[in-house]
Amino acid sequence: VDSIIEKFKAGWDMPPFIAWYLDGKLSLADGSHRIEALRKLGFKKYFTIMWFEKSSNFKKYKKMFDKTL
């Protein structure tokens, strides 16, 4: 994690996280060390690619945010 922090501070263009949403649960598929590094740096948001295995899961996820927009 410390080496990721140093690379990020040096200007590394870190790739986005990959997360998937399945049956009401959001899980991180790639980037656990990078997310820990960003937490240590105080980040609360970062680019993330979302993966939905079924269109019904996307519709459920989207409904949660339609109410807040």
Side-chain angles (χ1 to χ4, degrees):
V1 171
D2 291 336
S3 65
I4 293 171
I5 291 172
E6 293 306 315
K7 289 189 335 186
F8 187 76
K9 286 181 177 178
W12 178 43
D13 189 17
M14 188 169 62
F17 301 118
I18 299 175
W20 79 88
Y21 182 84
L22 181 62
D23 299 326
K25 294 182 182 179
L26 185 61
S27 300
L28 189 64
D30 180 53
S32 59
H33 291 98
R34 289 178 283 138
I35 202 167
E36 181 62 29
L38 289 181
R39 284 181 178 150
K40 284 186 172 186
L41 290 169
F43 280 72
K44 298 202 183 281
K45 297 179 184 180
Y46 196 75
F47 298 101
T48 304
I49 296 171
M50 296 290 296
W51 180 268
F52 299 89
E53 293 188 15
K54 303 181 231 175
S55 61
S56 61
N57 282 326
F58 172 72
K59 290 174 186 174
K60 287 177 190 175
Y61 183 81
K62 185 177 178 301
K63 263 187 186 176
M64 289 189 300
F65 292 98
D66 282 347
K67 295 174 186 175
T68 61
L69 296 177

